[in-house]
Amino acid sequence: MFEKFGILIDNEWRPARSGKTMAVHSPATEEKIGEVPLGDSADVADVLASAARGFATWKAMAAWDRAKIMRRAADLIRERVEDIAAVMCAETGKPMAEARGETLGTADQFEWFAEEAKRVYGQIIPARVPEQRLSVIYQPVGVCLSLSAWNFPALLPSRKIAAALAAGCSIVARPASEAPGSCFKIVEALVDAGIPPGAVTVITGPSSKLAAELIASPVIRKVSLTGSVAVGKKVLAQCAEGIKRASMELGGHAPVVIHRDADPVASAKASAMAKFRNSAQVCISPTRFYVHESLKQPFEDAFVDFARSLVVGDGRKDGVTMGPMIRGSAVDAALEMAQDAIDKGGRLLHGGRRPAHLNKGHFIEPTVIADVPDDARIMVEEPFAPIAPLTTFKDEDEVIERANALPFGLAAYVFSNDADRAQRTAERLESGMVGINEMLLAGAETPFGGIKESGYGREGGSIGIKDYLDPKFIRHRLLPSD
């Protein structure tokens, strides 16, 4: 599947210098679907040299010219949506409908940031004396590094690539080893759109080793990571050695508060749909459901009805609505977490096992567990699995305290027909993003990111480009005229 791709240097795909490769397997069939280069230190040096040259060229281009290339790339991604989605589906197993949606969302990133490239506004500051001029301009940080996860293999790297390019930075992309093909396809669109050599480079290989070598290089000036909290802490420590800028989009454990005035059936359907999207392998996936005790039964019934309606299988097959988890160990961990919740008093309402009709692939049934206590592992550890723990609450102050008890703060959700209560809850929840009667938070035009141990910095929106720009203050004293 990846025969023509590999390591991208100066807009040319090539193998690793060592000639070594690593296999990529389908999580739906467990079969090998391709091989990618196993990059090492020699390849890192080549990639960094190319990126440094590319930065010099790209930052010198007018913002309008950079924008034209990025808009063209967005158009190409949309034209190639079926091809890109097919690759994504093969390497992640997600349903084709989800893969198409992610691909189109990826195109939106490049379109949005193409326009933002033309709107990097500075500032004029009134001086205290007439012979002085005070101003602030924004300049690109330099060569950036994108470290992205496998769960959204096109969208996640593109959020970083598009913002960096819009700012005038070059960027080195290290796609996830489990699903590199989608990133290859996005970068191919940029090359075909006419991006200068070195403005974007790609390297594949062992994640921790390559990341450490790239971050240690003085060529890299900014790092953007989408990953777990544990990995984020390691990357931040490495960035500290070189005083490098960093933005972190890390794990979450999103609470959902369903107030007494909410529609229990509608909120349950919306919650379940968001929960099981991408097999719940989503950083902003709703993961703790706090239902007002008066709505307990209708909410549970509607949630289970939706879970039962899902068709689990290989996303390339018609009718499949939930694909596999990324690896077998993830299934094992999910089942252990579900059993822990049951052992602590939770009631299994649906799922809780591997699908009997699938003898290959990393599948698990969509699982719903009611009456889960707060000390169950699934209520304190990010599950990243299609297991929905339901619990109840009595009053607003109680549920806010419980929802805010964890060190995570990426996303949260509120369902209420009382506008005052909904707004008050949203403002009190400790998270970077909140959805009120809405579960879809991500969009090119909106900021995406968290607080607490869920990270810092924002991707998307009008502030998304700021993490790739350095403000420079200029004080200019005018000389007396002759």
Side-chain angles (χ1 to χ4, degrees):
M1 177 175 286
F2 313 119
E3 290 81 3
K4 68 181 261 188
F5 299 110
I7 296 171
L8 184 76
I9 295 175
D10 293 334
N11 284 3
E12 297 289 336
W13 298 101
R14 55 163 246 197
R17 282 187 173 272
S18 67
K20 296 180 180 179
T21 62
M22 59 182 184
V24 179
H25 293 86
S26 163
T29 66
E30 302 182 56
E31 297 172 354
K32 188 173 80 169
I33 58 175
E35 295 180 343
V36 294
L38 191 66
D40 59 19
S41 299
D43 300 298
V44 167
D46 291 343
V47 162
L48 290 172
S50 176
R53 294 190 298 269
F55 175 56
T57 302
W58 185 245
K59 73 175 180 179
M61 290 182 65
W64 282 69
D65 292 331
R66 296 199 302 266
K68 289 176 183 177
I69 292 173
M70 294 178 66
R71 285 294 297 268
R72 176 58 180 152
D75 291 341
L76 290 174
I77 292 168
R78 293 189 180 105
E79 291 172 11
R80 301 170 182 179
V81 60
E82 292 299 319
D83 179 40
I84 297 171
V87 171
M88 188 185 305
C89 187
E91 63 187 4
T92 66
K94 66 176 64 180
M96 276 296 291
E98 292 185 15
R100 290 189 190 100
E102 180 180 342
T103 302
L104 294 174
T106 296
D108 290 347
Q109 294 290 328
F110 287 98
E111 179 175 344
W112 171 266
F113 279 109
E115 297 304 312
E116 289 301 289
K118 298 181 286 188
R119 294 178 176 82
V120 179
Y121 302 134
Q123 186 179 19
I124 301 297
I125 303 170
R128 300 189 183 195
V129 293
E131 65 271 18
Q132 287 189 345
R133 301 292 183 269
L134 310 180
S135 62
V136 177
I137 64 172
Y138 286 91
Q139 296 180 310
V141 169
V143 180
C144 301
L145 173 62
S146 162
L147 301 172
S148 54
W150 46 263
N151 53 331
F152 289 94
L155 181 61
L156 296 182
S158 294
R159 279 178 179 163
K160 308 170 193 307
I161 294 169
L165 293 177
C169 301
S170 64
I171 186 162
V172 178
R174 202 216 73 85
S177 299
E178 296 90 343
S182 301
C183 184
F184 292 160
K185 287 289 187 178
I186 300 307
V187 173
E188 181 184 38
L190 284 165
V191 172
D192 292 346
I195 199 164
V200 178
T201 53
V202 178
I203 187 168
T204 55
S207 57
S208 58
K209 183 177 185 297
L210 289 183
E213 291 188 18
L214 288 162
I215 295 170
S217 169
V219 173
I220 298 294
R221 294 311 311 156
K222 190 270 167 77
V223 178
S224 180
L225 168 72
T226 299
S228 68
V229 173
V231 171
K233 290 179 179 180
K234 292 179 181 178
V235 169
L236 279 174
Q238 293 165 348
C239 288
E241 291 296 320
I243 317 297
K244 299 178 190 291
R245 290 182 65 171
S247 54
M248 300 279 119
E249 196 268 281
L250 308 178
H253 205 331
V256 185
V257 177
I258 298 94
H259 282 295
R260 70 176 71 198
D261 50 69
D263 181 329
V265 175
S267 60
K269 288 181 178 178
S271 294
M273 183 180 298
K275 174 61 194 178
F276 297 121
R277 181 172 69 102
N278 203 33
S279 299
Q281 298 169 124
V282 184
C283 57
I284 60 170
S285 175
T287 49
R288 294 175 286 151
F289 297 88
Y290 298 98
V291 185
H292 190 270
E293 59 185 9
S294 64
L295 306 180
K296 174 182 169 65
Q297 198 60 53
F299 186 90
E300 288 180 2
D301 292 344
F303 207 107
V304 170
D305 285 344
F306 186 91
R308 285 176 177 154
S309 73
L310 293 170
V311 178
V312 180
D314 187 337
R316 291 172 291 187
K317 295 183 178 180
D318 291 341
V320 168
T321 53
M322 194 179 97
M325 299 190 71
I326 194 62
R327 60 181 70 89
S329 59
V331 175
D332 294 338
L335 292 173
E336 289 175 5
M337 195 171 281
Q339 189 59 52
D340 173 78
I342 295 168
D343 291 343
K344 287 186 169 67
R347 290 185 298 114
L348 179 65
L349 302 182
H350 183 70
R353 62 183 182 180
R354 292 178 172 84
H357 68 287
L358 296 169
N359 55 16
K360 283 188 178 181
H362 311 314
F363 295 99
I364 182 174
E365 292 182 342
T367 299
V368 186
I369 307 174
D371 303 330
V372 179
D374 287 354
D375 64 347
R377 284 179 53 205
I378 198 169
M379 298 296 278
V380 295
E381 300 175 19
E382 182 182 20
F384 224 61
I387 304 172
L390 315 183
T391 188
T392 58
F393 71 96
K394 293 183 178 181
D395 63 67
E396 186 176 319
D397 288 340
E398 169 210 341
V399 74
I400 293 296
E401 182 179 358
R402 292 165 68 190
N404 289 340
L406 302 187
F408 304 101
L410 186 58
Y413 305 92
V414 182
F415 284 90
S416 175
N417 289 322
D418 183 323
D420 290 345
R421 177 179 284 123
Q423 186 67 27
R424 185 171 60 247
T425 304
E427 292 178 4
R428 294 178 69 188
L429 288 170
E430 296 173 353
S431 67
M433 300 172 284
V434 180
I436 299 177
N437 301 324
E438 174 61 77
M439 307 297 285
L440 298 176
L441 295 179
E445 69 276 23
T446 57
F448 189 99
I451 61 174
K452 298 162 72 171
E453 288 194 5
S454 290
Y456 57 83
R458 294 296 182 269
E459 295 182 316
S462 59
I463 62 176
I465 198 171
K466 295 296 186 182
D467 281 335
Y468 296 87
L469 294 165
D470 280 329
K472 177 180 286 185
F473 168 62
I474 299 174
R475 181 187 289 268
H476 182 183
R477 178 179 291 274
L478 303 181
L479 299 177
S481 58
D482 293 335

